[in-house]
Every structure is written in structure tokens, then in C-alpha cells.
């Protein structure tokens, strides 16, 4: 999206497309030729990202309980922070003065920022709730905050009024404000300001929100171009449009066609994603969007969701789940997820996984980790989080290598069969997912 006078250092190059491989042709034919998995490289001013890639979430310029140096050692290629949270604390002007997000948090690699669009929902109709991504029946009167919670975000056609969860101050976010905040934060990849909806919103509301998001996208592009020119001394920041449309095929495809004409550097697939239909919804988008652009799926990381995303053409994705569940003692293993506080681990002097190369598994036992959680020691969350992040990072890097080697289907099916404890016999992508 840069001017002809200043070529963008942001590029995306495709390497291997699964459907071009001679090995899985029968599997692809069995699925109607719909597998979109591919490998590639996103090049940014702060380095490359080999795709598919999992992008760990550093919401407030930190992966909770884990140092950036640890994330680098475990194989993370990039980090994603949240523009709304950083706007509130410490302030986007502070990050700009510090030299940008990466310099501020001592992370030398590529960075992403979410636009604040998630908070349109999480502080509005989603306040005080775990967002239900399975219900398809809209609620009477539309989605509402949980009982006992007062809405902290209100949407109008021009933007959103936010009530700060820190001190109650009122703030105004518009597409232009989101762009200015994200430019100050200095991430390599930014997302256009959008309105995230839920599956409880009516079809009529989904249509209205989609049109708002389209108009906001146009304003984001205009402000992004203005700021890119005004800040020509700064590294180029790529802008991704965000595809909404909930579970409706016509809305999703229309959003893709509309945003594809705006000149975005890439695209985020977000919004209300029914878990059962994740693969189908993502495929609608990847079929419509330009193949030569990178696609990011906002907010998934469970193993079945990861493979579904990759199957259907997603290049990068993020989620807070690895560290969130780690803080409650839940850890991933090749044989599934389990809680370290279980009594059976009191005398278990083996690592979480004897095949995991992470720092935690190399140095600590299940018994010791259980002790840390029971004693409420803070480094329990650190060690469990390091392991969980490495587990998902390795899962995705293994999938990337398998696509290049032509062994992706065997890798995927063997992994899922062991993790979920049942053989995988289907030749179609499992249509599962989770909230952004």
C-alpha cells in the first residue's frame, strides 16, 4: 500500500501449495479440491515470518509471565499486541518515543497489533461473558452484556465510545484514531478498525455492522496512506483489512470482494466464527481473497482449530489460549491436555512431555510444577506457559515442514488421532474453531 516513490519492504512469497503436491492428490480429489494449505514467507522491516505460523499474543507488550527472550528461544517468529490496551497504558505516544513496540519490549522480530475492534464487542455486548461461538439462534433484541454488567462500549456509524476499564475515563475510537494509535505503536502489521459481532446478533444487525466495517476500512486506508507519507522516516507498516460477516456465506464473500478492492497488504479473518463451521467459513474467505496476499485468522490455537485453519489457507493466527490455560495448570501434551495439579502427579518425576524440547521440559518435572501451582508460586505460570507456547509453535512448524515435504495429511492425522485419542478417518477438514 506504499507509494510508488517509496516501495514497501513488506512482501509475501508463496513456496508450496498443498494442492500442487503430487503426493496427496487423491485426498484432495476426495475433498473436491478444496484444500488450500500452503507455505510461504512474509517479509517485514524487522525480519521474515515463515508461514504457516502461530503468532503468540503479547497483549500489553508482554506475553503473560514469559520474557521475550524465552519466546525467542522457543521459536516464536513474531508477537501480537493490542492497540486498545496499549493506548490506555502506557500510551501510544510512549511507545512511539521509545522507538516502537519491538524496541519497547526488547523484541527484535516482527510485531502485529490488533486494532481495538475486539473491544467493540468484549466491552459492549460481550462484557462479562465467555463469548459463545456455538449458538446459531440470535437472541431477542440482539446480544447484550451479562446480567449485572454495564456496557462499556457503544457503537455508532462514526466510531465507538469506550469507557476505560482502568479508571472509567471515556475515550473515542474512530478508524482514524485507531490508525494513529497503531502507527505510533509501530507494529510491522496492523489491522483496520472493525466491528466484531457475535452469533447472538441478528442477521439485520450483522448486515449493518458489515457495512460499518466496510466504510471504516475505507477510512483506515486513507488515514494509513496519509500517516505513511507523514512518517516516511519510520519503517513501513503493513495494513490488513478484517473480514466480518458471521456465519453467512453471502456476507463473508461480499466482505472479501469489497475489501479486496481497497489495496490492503493482507487480510484478517475475524468476527463470529461458529466452531462447527470454522473450516467452511475460512474457505469462503480464502477462495475470494487474492491468493498472493497473506491471511491471518484472529483468535484460534487449539490443535483441531489449527489444522482446520491451515487446511483452508490461513497463513498466520494468534490466540491467548496457551498462556491462559497454563495459568490454571492446564498443559498440552501429544496425548492431550491435562491439569498439573492432579494428585497423580505428586510423585511424577518426569517432564510434561519427554519429547518436548522446551526449557521447562528440559529442567523440571511434573511433581515440581504441581508443587509450584499448589504453593501458588508465580513461576508456575511462567514454566507452564513456556511449555504451552512451544507446543503450539512446534505443532505449526511441523505442519509447515510437512506441507513442503508432501507428508501433511499423515502428519495432521497422526497428530490429531493421538491428541484426541481416536483415529481420524475423515478426508475433509474438521470444521472447528474458536473465538477471536
Amino acid at each position: 500500500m506504499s507509494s510508488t516513490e517509496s516501495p514497501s519492504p513488506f512482501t509475501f512469497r508463496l513456496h508450496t501449495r498443498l494442492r500442487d503436491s503430487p503426493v496427496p492428490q487423491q485426498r484432495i480429489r476426495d475433498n473436491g479440491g478444496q484444500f488450500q494449505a500452503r507455505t510461504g514467507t512474509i517479509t517485514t522491516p524487522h525480519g521474515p515470518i515463515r508461514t504457516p505460523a502461530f503468532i503468540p499474543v503479547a497483549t500489553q507488550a508482554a506475553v503473560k509471565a514469559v520474557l521475550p527472550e524465552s519466546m525467542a528461544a522457543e521459536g516464536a517468529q513474531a508477537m501480537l499486541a493490542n492497540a486498545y490496551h496499549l493506548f490506555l497504558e502506557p500510551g501510544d505516544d510512549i511507545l512511539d518515543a521509545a522507538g516502537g513496540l519491538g524496541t519497547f519490549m526488547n523484541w527484535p522480530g516482527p510485531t502485529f497489533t490488533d486494532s481495538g475492534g475486539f473491544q467493540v464487542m468484549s466491552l459492549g455486548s460481550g462484557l462479562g461473558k465467555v463469548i459463545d461461538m456455538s449458538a446459531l439462534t440470535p437472541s431477542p433484541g440482539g446480544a447484550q452484556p451479562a446480567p449485572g454488567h454495564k456496557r462499556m462500549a457503544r457503537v455508532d456509524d462514526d466510531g465507538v465510545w469506550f469507557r476505560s476499564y482502568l479508571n472509567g475515563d471515556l475515550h473515542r475510537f474512530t478508524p482514524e484514531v485507531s490508525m494513529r494509535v497503531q502507527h505510533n505503536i509501530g507494529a510491522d502489521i496492523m489491522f483496520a478498525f472493525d466491528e466484531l459481532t457475535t452469533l447472538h446478533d441478528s442477521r439485520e444487525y450483522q448486515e449493518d455492522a458489515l457495512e460499518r466495517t466496510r466504510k471504516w476500512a475505507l477510512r483506515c486506508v486513507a488515514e494509513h496512506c496519509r500517516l505513511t507519507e507523514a512518517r516516511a522516516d519510520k519503517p513501513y507498516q503493513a495494513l490488513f483489512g478484517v473480514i466480518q460477516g458471521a456465519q453467512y456465506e453471502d456476507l463473508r464473500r461480499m466482505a472479501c470482494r469489497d475489501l479486496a478492492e481497497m489495496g490492503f497488504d493482507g487480510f484478517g479473518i475475524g468476527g463470529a466464527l461458529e466452531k462447527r463451521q470454522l473450516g467452511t467459513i475460512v474457505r469462503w474467505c480464502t477462495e475470494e481473497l487474492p491468493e498472493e496476499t497473506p491471511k491471518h485468522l484472529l483468535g484460534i490455537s487449539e490443535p483441531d482449530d489449527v489444522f482446520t485453519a491451515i487446511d483452508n489457507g490461513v497463513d498466520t493466527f494468534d490466540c491467548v489460549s496457551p498462556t491462559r490455560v497454563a495459568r490454571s495448570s492446564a498443559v498440552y501434551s501429544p496425548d492431550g491436555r491435562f491439569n498439573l495439579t492432579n494428585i497423580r502427579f505428586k510423585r511424577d518425576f518426569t517432564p510434561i512431555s519427554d519429547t518436548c524440547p522446551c526449557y521447562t521440559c528440559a529442567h523440571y518435572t511434573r511433581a515440581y510444577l504441581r508443587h509450584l501451582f499448589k504453593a501458588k508460586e508465580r513461576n508456575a505460570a511462567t514454566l507452564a506457559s513456556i511449555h504451552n507456547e512451544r507446543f503450539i509453535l512446534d505443532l505449526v512448524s511441523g505442519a509447515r515442514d510437512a506441507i513442503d515435504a508432501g507428508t501433511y495429511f499423515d502428519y495432521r492425522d497422526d497428530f490429531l488421532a493421538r491428541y484426541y485419542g481416536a483415529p481420524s478417518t475423515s478426508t475433509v477438514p474438521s470444521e472447528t474453531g474458536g473465538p477471536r
Side-chain angles (χ1 to χ4, degrees):
M1 192 179 293
S2 60
S3 67
T4 56
E5 292 80 10
S6 178
S8 167
F10 178 89
T11 61
F12 176 61
R13 182 166 64 93
L14 283 172
H15 298 311
T16 303
R17 296 190 308 178
L18 183 61
R19 63 177 180 268
D20 293 337
S21 170
V23 178
Q25 285 299 310
Q26 185 57 51
R27 298 290 297 272
I28 292 173
R29 284 194 293 271
D30 290 344
N31 192 47
Q34 293 176 323
F35 286 109
Q36 304 292 321
R38 75 256 190 95
T39 64
T41 300
I42 298 171
T43 301
T44 78
H46 291 93
I49 304 169
R50 294 183 59 217
T51 65
F54 174 62
I55 312 300
V57 176
T59 300
Q60 300 185 83
V63 175
K64 288 191 183 300
V66 183
L67 290 173
E69 293 87 344
S70 296
M71 293 304 304
E74 301 303 335
Q77 299 185 74
M79 301 275 201
L80 182 145
N82 185 275
Y84 174 75
H85 285 280
L86 293 176
F87 163 77
L88 293 180
E89 175 60 44
D92 54 287
D93 59 322
I94 300 298
L95 276 82
D96 195 25
L101 173 62
T103 302
F104 185 64
M105 65 183 289
N106 194 33
W107 171 256
T111 52
F112 293 60
T113 43
D114 192 0
S115 68
F118 180 80
Q119 280 68 40
V120 178
M121 180 274 293
S122 66
L123 295 177
S125 62
L127 187 62
K129 297 188 294 188
V130 174
I131 304 304
D132 180 6
M133 304 305 283
S134 61
L136 280 174
T137 304
S139 302
Q144 299 294 330
H149 290 78
K150 187 177 180 180
R151 183 184 293 267
M152 296 178 69
R154 294 192 178 276
V155 182
D156 56 57
D157 287 342
D158 183 60
V160 183
W161 286 106
F162 287 112
R163 182 73 66 180
S164 170
Y165 67 92
L166 295 176
N167 58 16
D169 286 352
L170 194 61
H171 299 285
R172 180 68 167 169
F173 256 49
T174 64
E176 292 78 12
V177 170
S178 178
M179 288 297 94
R180 291 196 291 270
V181 167
Q182 291 190 79
H183 269 268
N184 281 343
I185 292 172
D188 295 286
I189 296 173
M190 310 176 294
F191 290 92
F193 193 52
D194 62 310
E195 181 182 359
L196 174 61
T197 60
T198 79
L199 293 172
H200 291 285
D201 289 303
S202 67
R203 162 78 189 218
E204 180 181 13
Y205 190 87
Q206 301 286 4
E207 293 174 354
D208 291 343
L210 194 67
E211 178 61 8
R212 261 192 298 275
T213 293
R214 183 188 71 82
K215 291 178 177 178
W216 289 358
L218 289 168
R219 291 165 59 185
C220 284
V221 168
E223 183 67 2
H224 171 59
C225 290
R226 187 189 72 80
L227 290 169
T228 297
E229 184 175 347
R231 295 164 58 90
D233 59 320
K234 304 287 187 180
Y236 179 77
Q237 295 174 258
L239 179 60
F240 283 24
V242 180
I243 307 300
Q244 297 288 350
Q247 72 272 26
Y248 301 104
E249 180 175 4
D250 60 330
L251 298 186
R252 287 281 179 180
R253 291 187 182 274
M254 179 174 67
C256 290
R257 291 191 293 269
D258 287 343
L259 269 64
E261 297 177 352
M262 298 182 190
F264 285 107
D265 296 298
F267 299 91
I269 301 171
L273 293 165
E274 188 204 3
K275 187 175 178 70
R276 184 176 57 86
Q277 287 201 88
L278 177 66
T280 298
I281 293 170
V282 169
R283 191 164 60 243
W284 294 337
C285 298
T286 55
E287 287 174 351
E288 292 286 347
L289 294 169
E291 184 182 41
E292 66 276 10
T293 55
K295 286 85 177 175
H296 181 95
L297 184 57
L298 291 144
I300 64 104
S301 73
E302 290 304 304
D304 55 350
D305 302 336
V306 166
F307 284 110
T308 298
I310 293 172
D311 285 351
N312 291 285
V314 168
D315 301 299
T316 56
F317 39 87
D318 69 273
C319 193
V320 299
S321 183
T323 53
R324 176 176 288 170
V325 301
R327 295 194 296 276
S328 65
S329 87
V331 290
Y332 303 119
S333 82
D335 298 304
R337 202 170 87 181
F338 59 86
N339 290 320
L340 285 165
T341 51
N342 193 293
I343 187 63
R344 73 179 190 272
F345 300 125
K346 189 169 186 177
R347 294 180 178 274
D348 187 338
F349 303 111
T350 63
I352 296 171
S353 171
D354 57 12
T355 61
C356 178
C358 80
Y359 178 86
T360 301
C361 289
H363 295 89
Y364 299 99
T365 66
R366 297 177 179 186
Y368 180 67
L369 293 167
R370 180 184 184 275
H371 158 68
L372 293 180
F373 276 108
K374 299 299 283 188
K376 301 188 185 305
E377 291 287 349
R378 293 183 181 182
N379 54 349
T382 296
L383 294 171
S385 295
I386 287 172
H387 168 79
N388 279 359
E389 293 282 8
R390 179 62 180 264
F391 183 88
I392 300 298
L393 288 164
D394 281 357
L395 182 164
V396 178
S397 66
R400 183 173 63 240
D401 292 344
I403 294 170
D404 283 335
T407 58
Y408 174 73
F409 289 112
D410 289 339
Y411 174 80
R412 181 197 69 178
D413 293 350
D414 290 348
F415 190 104
L416 291 176
R418 181 174 177 183
Y419 188 86
Y420 292 105
S424 175
T425 58
S426 174
T427 61
V428 301
S430 58
E431 296 180 338
T432 55
R436 168 181 165 188

